[in-house]
Amino acid sequence: MADGRLQGVVSSGSDIERVYVSSFAAGTHNFNCSTNNNRPCGGAHGYTCKHLDLLLDEAIVQYGADRVARYLRVEVDGEVTSARDLLRHMNGTNERMPAAIVFSRFLRHLSYLELPVVTEPVPELHWFPAMGAAR
Amino acid sequence: MLETQLSTLLDDAPSGVVETLDLVSGFDEGLVSGFARLGEERAAALTALAGAMAATPLADRVAAAAEKIAGGSVTEEHLSVLAGARIALLGAVHDALLARLDTALRRTRATWPQPPTPNRTTSAGNLFSGCRSWLTELAIAGWRGVDHDLISSSDQVLQALLADPALRRLAVLTDGLATELHAGSPIGTMERLPVRRWADLWTRALLLSQAGAGTDDAQAAERVSGRLLILGVDVHEHSTAVQIQVHGVLESAGDSPSRLVRTSVAAAKVDTIVGPALWRLLANYPVLLGALAERRSLEITDLPLLDSGDLVWQDDRAKAGDPADPFVTARVQLADAVAPAVPPLNRHPVGIAEPVLVEGYTATSSDEHSTVTFAFGNVTIPVAVDRLPSCGPLTPQLVAASSACVGLLRWDGGSWSLQPLVVQATVKRKPVVSYTGDWAMGPTDPKVAKAEAKAGDAVAVLRERAGRLLRK
Ligand SMILES: [Zn+2]
């Protein structure tokens, strides 16, 4: 959830080397899905593809349905537990969005996980107490 | 800790602390509107800061820098000198507070060795100067004038800093500051700024980007062996970093006194990895994590111990020992263990985190446990429940139901507080002991474990993706 979009990178089901960049805009609920080389996804024509559905599902697992709904500004009545529930209340259309920016940000983000762990103390982190407050 | 000790600690602030912090605030306000447009009041604050340094070796340089900046010449060099003055003032506050604490607890503290262990020399000149010029631009613009572009202009230097593990301290700090600034943007319209906090982070980054600062030389450090008895574990975290810091007592062979030590492991992460999953980032340290989860002591052999009291952890030089109850360790060892000296560059009130045992108090909570206090007779101390990590089972509710606690004494925002690491509580009439390290090898609470299993191993999935995509 950044820049007014719920966005993510979804692995291709058929080709392990390929990934899709999928996103929903907050407010308009317009969506887009394309490969990291900016080729439009075969499945996104006016309605959402399985990558977009997966993105929503994963966001719900990670942040909870309420938070996702609030972020995207989806008006919901009743309980929301799955992507389908949310999509029922969203009627955006396919909209071109530059996948390259999202993808390069994602790669930069991933590179953090490749950094070695350090065991020399980082006293500066005393300014950053654990974030239990979110509980 | 007894009521009398606590009241000694909580008595009026040591003399001069309030006045000194006022001088610091004067400087910090300059960073809010930017040093490029320094009004009369802000300029006077710099003069006052310089005045406070009059009797120190820094006197002339600070006076000159304050005058130049007030005159509109806002250079990196002048800013660095003023940052040095600010650090010296907070160092003095730190010393006064820690002296008060040591007196109250009758804690013996080692003296800083002269000369200290040499700093490792780094060849990061360009990165340091890149970082300093970014910090200079921030100071010129002021927090209110900072925009996304200015914040992002640190990206390149930040990537390079992160790539060198020896520069992790500066990298993690700069990243944390940049992320907060992004999150607060547009800062011009932000209602309340964390003025002291951002000034702290800015000053510290400027200090760490001076050649030779902030790198410990583990190679040159003393080697120690013995039994490490764990008191508890403190967790630090921002969106792309996590550090666990274990506090313990080291019993060395021979008849040297026991020492209070810490040992830390810090990993880079992404913001979606939170809660119990954090431990998975540290999975390469199974001996340490296992001892936390099983509440065991550790037998260590030839581990470097920095003058700051930090053991530089190496999992292959440790093995699990007997079970050890943190409350027993605290009761038996805490009064006599020798506390480490604080390195000159780390003297700042935020760094104070002294382990203590408290019991026999009455816990009270309000606002659905968002505030908890411990009362000892007529003396009360606030409990820092907002510092409880989400990667362990310790909750504000448990703390509010507790009767004994091993925690860290901290000083933040002008007053002392206690951050719980381990508590003894009564839940449904049964005694339980709960501590922040309980889930180091995975959650022990079945409900949490189930949620974890459902969410899957995000760390493994993301690492696999990273390996595949980044090496294409
Ligand atoms: Zn798709």
Side-chain angles (χ1 to χ4, degrees):
Chain A
M1 297 194 266
D3 303 337
R5 280 198 294 271
L6 169 69
Q7 54 200 19
V9 175
V10 183
S11 319
S12 160
S14 52
D15 179 356
I16 193 148
E17 295 294 337
R18 197 186 310 156
V19 291
Y20 291 90
V21 178
S22 314
S23 63
F24 286 97
T28 65
H29 308 151
N30 284 345
F31 50 83
N32 182 259
C33 184
S34 57
T35 68
N36 47 331
N37 311 320
N38 247 338
R39 261 186 235 121
C41 163
H45 295 291
Y47 48 89
T48 60
C49 61
K50 64 180 177 193
H51 312 117
L52 285 161
D53 294 352
L54 269 171
L55 171 71
L56 265 188
D57 274 329
E58 196 48 43
I60 290 170
V61 169
Q62 207 142 112
Y63 302 106
D66 290 342
R67 215 174 127 195
V68 175
R70 234 180 306 133
Y71 182 80
L72 292 175
R73 279 173 276 158
V74 182
E75 307 264 342
V76 289
D77 42 19
E79 209 191 353
V80 175
T81 53
S82 71
R84 287 280 136 218
D85 295 343
L86 270 182
L87 283 167
R88 262 204 305 278
H89 301 280
M90 296 163 62
N91 46 15
T93 60
N94 200 345
E95 175 188 52
R96 293 289 295 165
M97 274 178 249
I101 299 170
V102 179
F103 190 64
S104 72
R105 173 183 299 196
F106 177 72
L107 284 188
R108 205 189 117 184
H109 209 58
L110 277 188
S111 67
Y112 278 98
L113 295 171
E114 301 256 292
L115 298 175
V117 168
V118 296
T119 58
E120 283 176 16
V122 183
E124 287 65 36
L125 281 169
H126 280 265
W127 268 280
F128 299 92
M131 297 185 282
R135 174 167 30 214
Chain B
M1 201 159 87
L2 310 168
E3 185 183 340
T4 50
Q5 294 180 320
L6 194 64
S7 66
T8 309
L9 180 72
L10 299 181
D11 218 6
D12 296 341
S15 69
V17 165
V18 174
E19 294 79 358
T20 309
L21 290 175
D22 280 345
L23 289 169
V24 170
S25 297
F27 175 86
D28 297 355
E29 284 301 325
L31 279 174
V32 173
S33 49
F35 286 111
R37 292 173 302 275
L38 212 58
E40 247 172 64
E41 198 184 323
R42 306 276 148 79
L46 295 189
T47 314
L49 177 74
M53 305 304 289
T56 73
L58 280 174
D60 293 345
R61 294 190 63 191
V62 178
E67 198 185 310
K68 288 277 168 47
I69 288 183
S73 158
V74 191
T75 65
E76 182 186 303
E77 193 198 334
H78 299 324
L79 285 171
S80 299
V81 172
L82 291 189
R86 185 183 184 278
I87 285 165
L89 291 177
L90 284 161
V93 172
H94 165 274
D95 292 357
L97 293 168
L98 197 62
R100 169 71 68 87
L101 182 144
D102 286 343
T103 308
L105 298 178
R106 288 184 221 105
R107 185 156 285 178
T108 316
R109 189 168 299 276
T111 45
W112 185 250
Q114 294 291 347
T117 317
N119 280 330
R120 181 167 47 205
T121 47
T122 51
S123 51
N126 302 346
L127 292 183
F128 285 164
S129 78
C131 200
R132 288 198 305 268
S133 38
W134 179 64
L135 294 163
T136 303
E137 284 183 38
L138 290 180
I140 291 172
W143 306 129
R144 290 285 183 203
V146 164
D147 59 15
H148 281 297
D149 286 345
L150 177 51
I151 305 166
S152 302
S153 64
S154 68
D155 281 1
Q156 237 180 349
V157 97
L158 182 59
Q159 293 308 304
L161 285 173
L162 281 164
D164 184 348
L167 304 175
R168 191 63 66 84
R169 285 175 62 181
L170 179 58
V172 158
L173 173 64
T174 312
D175 205 3
L177 174 60
T179 306
E180 273 181 37
L181 294 175
H182 271 304
S185 292
I187 298 171
T189 57
M190 228 175 125
E191 217 169 293
R192 290 194 53 212
L193 302 188
V195 176
R196 171 73 51 78
R197 174 182 174 78
W198 284 354
D200 273 353
L201 300 179
W202 179 88
T203 317
R204 187 128 194 104
L206 196 54
L207 172 82
L208 287 183
S209 51
Q210 311 288 331
T215 44
D216 300 300
D217 195 344
Q219 296 300 320
E222 174 193 2
R223 302 276 156 158
V224 293
S225 302
R227 184 161 74 135
L228 177 63
L229 296 158
I230 295 170
L231 287 164
V233 53
D234 180 17
V235 182
H236 309 141
E237 186 185 0
H238 69 45
S239 56
T240 56
V242 60
Q243 170 170 260
I244 58 151
Q245 192 156 68
V246 177
H247 290 258
V249 176
L250 176 68
E251 294 177 324
S252 310
D255 48 21
S256 54
S258 297
R259 288 190 267 196
L260 272 175
V261 295
R262 289 176 300 247
T263 193
S264 320
V265 185
K269 71 177 195 80
V270 295
D271 54 2
T272 48
I273 299 176
V274 290
L278 289 172
W279 295 107
R280 297 183 196 237
L281 293 165
L282 315 174
N284 283 343
Y285 300 85
V287 179
L288 182 63
L289 263 50
L292 290 175
E294 294 172 18
R295 298 184 198 161
R296 286 177 183 278
S297 63
L298 285 154
E299 302 293 336
I300 59 168
T301 312
D302 287 337
L303 270 188
L305 177 62
L306 303 175
D307 296 330
S308 57
D310 289 285
L311 282 170
V312 181
W313 191 254
Q314 296 170 24
D315 224 43
D316 56 358
R317 291 178 183 231
K319 57 182 206 294
D322 296 327
D325 178 345
F327 283 103
V328 174
T329 301
R331 253 172 227 129
V332 176
Q333 302 264 8
L334 216 41
D336 297 324
V338 177
V342 179
L345 294 182
N346 289 357
R347 292 161 54 233
H348 188 292
V350 163
I352 297 177
E354 287 291 313
V356 287
L357 166 71
V358 291
E359 47 196 339
Y361 51 80
T362 312
T364 349
S365 69
S366 58
D367 298 330
E368 296 176 357
H369 304 297
S370 63
T371 42
V372 178
T373 53
F374 289 167
F376 303 76
N378 291 320
V379 196
T380 60
I381 186 164
V383 182
V385 283
D386 54 341
R387 291 187 88 112
L388 293 173
S390 57
C391 59
L394 207 50
T395 58
Q397 287 84 332
L398 269 172
V399 172
S402 71
S403 54
C405 170
V406 175
L408 298 174
L409 278 176
R410 289 195 173 271
W411 195 86
D412 196 8
S415 60
W416 293 96
S417 63
L418 181 72
Q419 175 191 347
L421 300 177
V422 195
V423 300
Q424 219 161 55
T426 308
V427 176
K428 293 181 188 153
R429 293 201 208 122
K430 282 202 191 109
V432 292
V433 171
S434 179
Y435 104 117
T436 46
D438 278 338
W439 296 350
M441 301 295 278
T444 49
D445 178 328
K447 252 201 306 204
V448 180
K450 209 174 141 197
E452 265 277 285
K454 196 177 158 202
D457 188 348
V459 173
V461 171
L462 287 171
R463 277 202 171 138
E464 190 274 333
R465 287 278 93 187
R468 199 174 285 282
L469 294 168
L470 292 171
R471 268 179 288 285
K472 253 211 315 229

